[in-house]
């Protein structure tokens, strides 16, 4: 009977732990406390102003899932999509589509360190989307757009065989399929990516 009670207590504790989420620490920017302060330590936060409204991304963790987890999808043709999931009343996903940087495996991400990438809306571009443009949303007309122009500055990267901390700033202008203009400014991010988890090789 005692053993049964002890096992029940363990099960209850484990169940409660799965329900309790912990949130990445959000340190406000001293100039605009609505945004996270820029950092380079893998705090798993990002922020920007989109059409004068705040977009923020803060990871929330539980044993079952991660909310607002960033993703990098690497394609065999030397192109990659960097996707940030956040929250705003305008759009939830900020995505960068990049190509031609010689990225063929996880360790190659170091080649992006200290790169000021001009987003021309063609070869390299930024998008502000309501849904992420994977196969589930292939019918979304915004997915086929080439993207907006501006700049993505990947200021710092620390890479080993397992993880990469990637930090930087961004700003761009994107026009969606309904000709609505999204001006993304004062963007900053500081994320940790894990090989084969939120960094994946796609076809």
């Amino acid at each position: 009977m005692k053993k049964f009670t002890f096992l029940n207590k363990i099960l209850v504790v484990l169940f409660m732990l799965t329900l309790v989420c912990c949130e990445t620490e959000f340190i406000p920017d001293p100039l605009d406390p609505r945004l996270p302060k820029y950092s380079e330590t893998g705090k798993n936060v990002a922020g920007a102003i989109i059409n004068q409204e705040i977009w923020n991304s803060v990871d929330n963790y539980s044993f079952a899932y991660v909310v607002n987890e960033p993703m990098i999808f690497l394609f065999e043709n030397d192109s990659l999509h960097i996707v940030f999931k956040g929250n705003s009343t305008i759009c939830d996903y900020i995505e960068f589509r990049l190509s031609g940087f010689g990225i063929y495996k996880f360790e190659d991400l170091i080649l992006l360190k200290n790169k000021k990438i001009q987003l021309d809306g063609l070869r390299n571009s930024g998008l502000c989307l309501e849904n992420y443009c994977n196969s589930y949303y292939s019918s979304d007309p915004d997915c086929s757009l080439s993207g907006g122009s501006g700049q993505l500055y990947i200021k710092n990267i620390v890479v080993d065989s397992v993880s990469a901390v990637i930090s930087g700033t961004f700003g761009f202008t994107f026009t969606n399929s309904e000709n609505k203009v999204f001006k993304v400014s004062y963007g900053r991010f500081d994320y940790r990516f894990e090989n084969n988890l939120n960094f994946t090789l796609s076809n």
Side-chain angles (χ1 to χ4, degrees), residues 77-122:
N77 60 348
D78 186 21
S79 66
L80 67 158
H81 292 182
I82 303 174
V83 183
F84 302 153
K85 170 68 170 70
N87 301 102
S88 78
T89 59
I90 298 176
C91 66
D92 289 338
Y93 289 88
I94 289 178
E95 179 180 342
F96 299 99
R97 298 176 182 176
L98 311 176
S99 60
F101 290 95
I103 311 297
Y104 296 101
K105 59 184 184 296
F106 183 78
E107 290 81 2
D108 291 340
L109 289 172
I110 193 67
L111 298 175
L112 295 173
K113 184 174 182 179
N114 202 29
K115 292 283 188 184
K116 291 184 178 180
I117 301 170
Q118 297 305 312
L119 305 174
D120 58 9
L122 298 171

Side-chain angles (χ1 to χ4, degrees), residues 39-160:
S39 59
E40 297 181 347
T41 56
K43 291 187 179 298
N44 288 324
V45 296
I49 297 176
I50 305 174
N51 293 357
Q52 304 305 314
E53 293 192 29
I54 295 297
W55 173 91
N56 274 326
S57 174
V58 180
D59 281 6
N60 290 277
Y61 299 88
S62 78
F63 285 97
Y65 57 88
V66 180
V67 178
N68 291 342
E69 183 177 32
M71 294 293 297
I72 294 179
F73 298 95
L74 176 64
F75 299 89
E76 293 180 350
N77 60 348
D78 186 21
S79 66
L80 67 158
H81 292 182
I82 303 174
V83 183
F84 302 153
K85 170 68 170 70
N87 301 102
S88 78
T89 59
I90 298 176
C91 66
D92 289 338
Y93 289 88
I94 289 178
E95 179 180 342
F96 299 99
R97 298 176 182 176
L98 311 176
S99 60
F101 290 95
I103 311 297
Y104 296 101
K105 59 184 184 296
F106 183 78
E107 290 81 2
D108 291 340
L109 289 172
I110 193 67
L111 298 175
L112 295 173
K113 184 174 182 179
N114 202 29
K115 292 283 188 184
K116 291 184 178 180
I117 301 170
Q118 297 305 312
L119 305 174
D120 58 9
L122 298 171
R123 187 176 180 86
N124 301 300
S125 59
L127 297 90
C128 184
L129 303 167
E130 183 178 350
N131 298 308
Y132 171 60
C133 288
N134 60 20
S135 58
Y136 294 104
Y137 301 106
S138 58
S139 61
D140 188 334
D142 287 346
C143 292
S144 61
L145 296 176
S146 57
S149 58
Q151 185 182 81
L152 169 65
Y153 182 13
I154 302 180
K155 298 177 72 172
N156 192 52
I157 297 182
V158 178
V159 181
D160 58 34

